[in-house]
């Protein structure tokens, strides 16, 4: 009996059987595009109407909390880069129920997000072809992206690269053009509208009141959903310890440019009173400046953002199901990889659930988006909080000498970690003060009750497989080979019988 240790190109970390088909450039674009979706392009109109210019500050504060979350995730990923890491880390540091619940919750967050995005995609297509039912577009979009994810991780990466490129180009273009019309040489002055003074002229910076600015945080936070997606790429990224570190380090720059910078330009070009819920502020800005075909251009960008988010969701849900299956928290058949080294069964199972979104669109297109996003609303806060709790538990083990210290740490921890947790708790409380937020809390409570019941039923009916953490199939250390810290995943090793 011989044992083969399956490691990545650096020879330091297992690749879980996946093909490392995501280049550093692709992971960087996934990291950039992951946090840019319809929440920014479309949903920010409602946020501006509610908070006024103070929305800029709300995006900045939320961005700081998200940066701490991402650095916490980065610290865990550098310790052990593994696809589906959120459930793996919860299992290792917080216990089996945490791993079970967070894995299934993250799967549900992205499944419902995909349902919402294909719903929105159908509405965008209606701009050009209003006679096409939303559910038809949703079904076609889901089918195309499902097929792309089945073919190879490389095709997913290329699709996401170009989706992200379009989104980033649109935002940068809007910022550059917006700054251009704000400059004195443009010939446009305060008397014609565009002016930095719009940030405080119409009622002051907190024009709608401090309380409304505070309430806008719940809208702002969900515009950041997807920023943690870079962690799911760990099992398929080239040289993950280097690639992921660079991607996460770029988070402050991305937040500063794409969120705070974009909002500052948008509210400067036009008064905050000219933006309304249900309208994209990007369409409003491009139209106001006089860009020909502005509405059609931004509508295409919005469609791209929706497809990008769904593409990412199909990718992440398939990997999460495989991770759960390896943990004994999902049917073991989901551990299988196709000949192209993708978790085909997990992708198929997730896409099958996403068809529910198509059905909901067919039955009640008016309320489909609100129904579908309820689980993801509460779920993503819990996921982010879990990442922070896992990082704190990891640090405690390091302090006790049970695990090696990481050279990639959360700045200012544990103070910054506690502050980020407090911020997420504040956002959670703010949901009680909003009608849609209360609906989300009720649906979230039902979801977690179902998860708890499912956990009890699953663990009683199926004994958990032995998880060796790499101990039973680990090469014997020699004087020249320092022993590795224990790892949870026995799938890191391939056992080959030889005669």
């Amino acid at each position: 009996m011989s044992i083969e240790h399956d490691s990545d190109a650096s020879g330091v970390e297992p690749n879980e059987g996946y093909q490392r088909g995501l280049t550093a450039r692709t992971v960087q674009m996934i990291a950039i595009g992951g946090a840019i979706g319809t929440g920014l392009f479309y949903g920010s109109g409602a946020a501006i109407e509610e908070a006024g210019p103070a929305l800029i500050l709300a995006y900045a504060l939320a961005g700081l909390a998200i940066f701490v979350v991402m650095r916490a995730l980065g610290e865990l990923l550098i310790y052990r880069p593994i696809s589906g890491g959120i459930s793996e880390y919860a299992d290792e540091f917080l216990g089996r129920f945490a791993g079970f619940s967070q894995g299934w919750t993250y799967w549900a967050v992205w499944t419902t997000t995909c349902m919402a995005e294909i719903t929105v995609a159908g509405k965008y297509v209606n701009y050009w072809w209003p006679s096409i039912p939303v559910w038809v577009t949703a079904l076609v979009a889901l089918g195309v992206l499902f097929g792309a994810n089945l073919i190879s991780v490389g095709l997913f990466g290329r699709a996401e690269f170009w989706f992200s490129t379009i989104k980033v180009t649109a935002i940068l273009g809007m910022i550059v053009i917006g700054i251009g019309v704000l400059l004195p040489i443009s010939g446009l002055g305060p008397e014609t509208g565009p002016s930095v003074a719009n940030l405080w002229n119409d009622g002051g910076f907190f024009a709608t009141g401090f309380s409304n600015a505070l309430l806008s945080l719940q809208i702002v936070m969900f515009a950041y959903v997807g920023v943690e997606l870079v962690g799911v790429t760990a099992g398929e990224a080239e040289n993950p310890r280097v690639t992921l570190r660079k991607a996460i380090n770029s988070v402050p720059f991305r937040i500063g440019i794409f969120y705070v910078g974009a909002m500052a330009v948008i509210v400067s070009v036009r008064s905050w009173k000219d933006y309304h819920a249900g309208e994209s502020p990007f369409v409003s800005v491009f139209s106001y400046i006089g860009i020909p075909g502005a509405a059609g251009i931004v509508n295409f960008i919005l469609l791209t953002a929706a497809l990008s988010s769904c593409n990412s969701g199909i990718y992440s849900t398939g990997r999460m199901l495989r991770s759960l299956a390896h943990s004994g928290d999902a049917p073991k058949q989901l551990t299988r990889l196709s000949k192209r080294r993708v978790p085909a069964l997990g992708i198929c199972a997730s896409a099958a659930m996403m068809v529910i979104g198509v059905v909901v669109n067919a039955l009640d297109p008016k309320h489909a988006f609100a129904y579908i996003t309820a689980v993801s609303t509460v779920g993503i806060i819990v996921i982010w909080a879990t990442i922070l709790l896992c990082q704190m538990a990891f640090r405690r083990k390091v302090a006790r000498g049970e695990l090696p210290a990481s050279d990639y740490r959360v700045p200012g921890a544990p103070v910054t970690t506690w502050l980020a947790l407090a911020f997420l708790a504040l956002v959670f409380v703010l949901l009680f003060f909003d009608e849609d937020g209360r609906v989300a809390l009720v649906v979230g409570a039902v979801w977690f009750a179902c998860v708890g019941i499912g956990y009890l039923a699953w663990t009683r009916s199926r004994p958990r497989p032995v998880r060796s953490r790499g101990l039973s199939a680990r090469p014997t250390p020699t004087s020249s080979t320092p022993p590795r810290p224990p790892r949870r995943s026995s799938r890191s090793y391939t056992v080959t019988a030889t005669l």
Side-chain angles (χ1 to χ4, degrees):
M1 182 74 68
S2 66
I3 297 172
E4 176 188 346
H5 182 236
D6 189 8
S7 60
D8 67 10
S10 65
V12 296
E13 202 57 49
N15 64 14
E16 311 169 77
Y18 290 120
Q19 188 178 52
R20 293 207 179 275
L22 297 179
T23 65
R25 184 184 71 161
T26 301
V27 172
Q28 284 282 358
M29 288 306 294
I30 290 173
I32 294 172
I36 303 173
T38 53
L40 175 63
F41 284 113
Y42 187 76
S44 54
I48 294 173
E49 187 174 34
E50 180 172 10
L55 181 66
I56 301 168
L57 180 60
Y59 269 114
L61 291 176
L64 288 175
I66 291 299
F67 174 62
V68 175
V69 171
M70 289 302 296
R71 282 299 296 258
L73 179 59
E75 188 168 344
L76 295 169
L77 287 168
I78 298 304
Y79 152 65
R80 185 162 65 95
I82 189 169
S83 185
I86 294 172
S87 67
E88 293 273 351
Y89 301 137
D91 194 337
E92 179 174 356
F93 297 112
L94 304 179
R96 185 182 180 187
F97 176 70
F100 179 94
S101 63
Q102 297 312 298
W104 281 107
T105 297
Y106 193 66
W107 175 83
V109 165
W110 270 108
T111 300
T112 52
T113 297
C114 283
M115 293 180 191
E117 297 296 357
I118 59 176
T119 297
V120 173
K123 295 181 182 297
Y124 296 151
V125 169
N126 280 164
Y127 173 82
W128 295 292
W129 300 286
S131 61
I132 298 178
V134 170
W135 71 266
V136 172
T137 301
L139 184 61
V140 172
L142 179 60
V144 171
L145 296 175
F146 165 69
N149 274 269
L150 277 183
I151 293 174
S152 72
V153 67
L155 184 57
F156 155 78
R158 285 190 291 274
E160 194 57 31
F161 177 86
W162 288 110
F163 281 148
S164 297
T165 299
I166 292 171
K167 292 187 289 185
V168 168
T169 302
I171 295 177
L172 293 178
M174 189 279 297
I175 291 175
V176 170
I177 294 172
I179 291 175
V181 302
L182 290 171
L183 294 175
I185 59 173
S186 68
L188 295 173
E191 68 278 4
T192 58
S195 171
V196 177
N198 282 329
L199 295 176
W200 57 83
N201 270 351
D202 292 322
F205 190 72
F206 291 93
T208 63
F210 181 79
S211 60
N212 278 349
L214 197 63
L215 287 173
S216 72
L217 285 174
Q218 55 183 300
I219 303 175
V220 168
M221 287 300 288
F222 305 125
Y224 286 109
V225 174
V227 68
E228 77 294 328
L229 179 67
V230 66
V232 184
T233 69
E236 292 164 285
E238 295 178 353
N239 198 2
R241 283 196 168 91
V242 175
T243 301
L244 296 175
R245 189 189 300 249
K246 289 181 178 179
I248 292 172
N249 283 343
S250 69
V251 168
F253 171 78
R254 289 185 277 133
I255 290 173
I257 294 294
F258 300 123
Y259 282 90
V260 179
M263 285 301 108
V265 170
I266 284 173
V267 180
S268 296
V269 170
R270 300 193 73 181
S271 168
W272 67 271
K273 293 182 178 180
D274 295 323
Y275 301 103
H276 306 285
E279 300 175 2
S280 169
F282 285 79
V283 172
S284 179
V285 167
F286 280 129
S287 298
Y288 181 71
I289 294 173
I291 302 297
I297 293 171
V298 177
N299 195 73
F300 172 74
I301 296 168
L302 291 169
L303 176 61
T304 300
L307 295 177
S308 171
S309 183
C310 186
N311 189 41
S312 299
I314 295 173
Y315 170 85
S316 61
T317 51
R319 273 70 183 173
M320 184 56 67
L321 283 183
R322 184 170 185 251
S323 177
L324 286 166
H326 270 297
S327 301
D329 294 331
K332 64 180 181 180
Q333 291 83 355
L334 294 173
T335 62
R336 298 173 185 170
L337 292 176
S338 70
K339 293 181 179 180
R340 297 179 179 272
R341 316 308 293 170
V342 297
L345 288 178
I347 292 173
C348 290
S350 299
M353 288 298 298
M354 293 171 193
V355 173
I356 293 176
V358 178
V359 175
V360 173
N361 273 291
L363 297 177
D364 190 358
K366 183 178 180 180
H367 300 99
F369 190 84
Y371 291 157
I372 290 169
T373 56
V375 172
S376 61
T377 299
V378 175
I380 197 61
I381 294 180
V382 176
I383 292 296
W384 288 338
T386 298
I387 292 172
L388 294 171
L389 292 173
C390 287
Q391 183 268 342
M392 295 170 74
F394 167 71
R395 282 286 187 93
R396 287 194 293 270
K397 287 198 172 188
V398 170
R400 293 195 298 264
E402 298 175 16
L403 291 175
S406 172
D407 64 345
Y408 188 69
R409 303 180 181 182
V410 177
V415 175
T416 50
T417 312
W418 279 112
L419 288 174
L421 274 173
F423 186 85
L424 294 178
L426 172 63
V427 176
F428 194 85
V429 170
L430 291 174
L431 291 173
F432 286 95
F433 298 91
D434 180 78
E435 183 177 351
D436 290 338
R438 288 190 291 270
V439 171
L441 288 172
V442 171
V443 175
V446 171
W447 165 255
F448 283 108
C450 292
V451 168
I453 295 171
Y455 173 77
L456 293 175
W458 183 265
T459 52
R460 287 180 180 178
S461 62
R462 297 171 183 257
R464 194 176 204 191
V466 176
R467 301 214 38 183
S468 67
R469 300 193 184 192
L471 294 174
S472 63
R474 187 171 49 193
T476 303
T478 65
S479 58
S480 61
T481 305
R484 296 174 182 271
R487 293 196 175 97
R488 298 188 56 78
S489 181
S490 59
R491 61 195 142 169
S492 306
Y493 302 87
T494 304
V495 179
T496 307
T498 58
L499 297 177

